Amino acid sequence: MSQFALPGANKSYANPSTSSPRLRNGRLLLPLMATIGLGFGAYNYYIAAKSRQEKSMLEEQERLARNQQLMDAYGDKNSLHDVQQALDTYMQ
């Protein structure tokens, strides 16, 4: 027995080049979470863009319907009654 031997001193102090599963999982966690976050953000952006597009299409359809209604209201304008009806439609 060596004179410098201590209890528990015969542990192996090998190079920790082999990574433990815990360390390897920690290295994968950050890129995995970043990928999930980017995917979630892209999905939310896609849904919002689709919603904006549908809303603008609906507004355009309403605008075209209103313009057609006004064009129909102005009609021939041959009589005072036609002009009065056009003004009433326009003021709605």
Side-chain angles (χ1 to χ4, degrees):
M1 187 163 163
S2 169
Q3 69 186 44
F4 299 108
L6 299 173
N10 52 357
K11 291 182 187 177
S12 172
Y13 292 106
N15 187 4
S17 63
T18 59
S19 61
S20 68
R22 182 174 162 219
L23 182 62
R24 188 172 31 247
N25 289 340
R27 286 184 184 167
L28 294 177
L29 186 61
L30 184 61
L32 177 66
M33 295 306 290
T35 303
I36 291 171
L38 287 173
F40 185 71
Y43 176 76
N44 281 345
Y45 179 79
Y46 170 76
I47 295 298
K50 188 175 177 182
S51 175
R52 284 190 305 267
Q53 181 184 15
E54 290 173 356
K55 184 180 177 184
S56 69
M57 288 179 66
L58 181 61
E59 288 173 353
E60 180 68 13
Q61 288 175 351
E62 290 173 356
R63 186 186 68 79
L64 290 174
R66 177 71 175 153
N67 285 347
Q68 186 61 44
Q69 181 185 14
L70 290 173
M71 293 299 290
D72 291 343
Y74 280 108
D76 294 332
K77 296 181 273 181
N78 291 334
S79 68
L80 182 59
H81 178 69
D82 290 341
V83 174
Q84 183 62 41
Q85 183 180 2
L87 285 174
D88 290 341
T89 303
Y90 183 73
M91 293 301 195
Q92 287 181 358

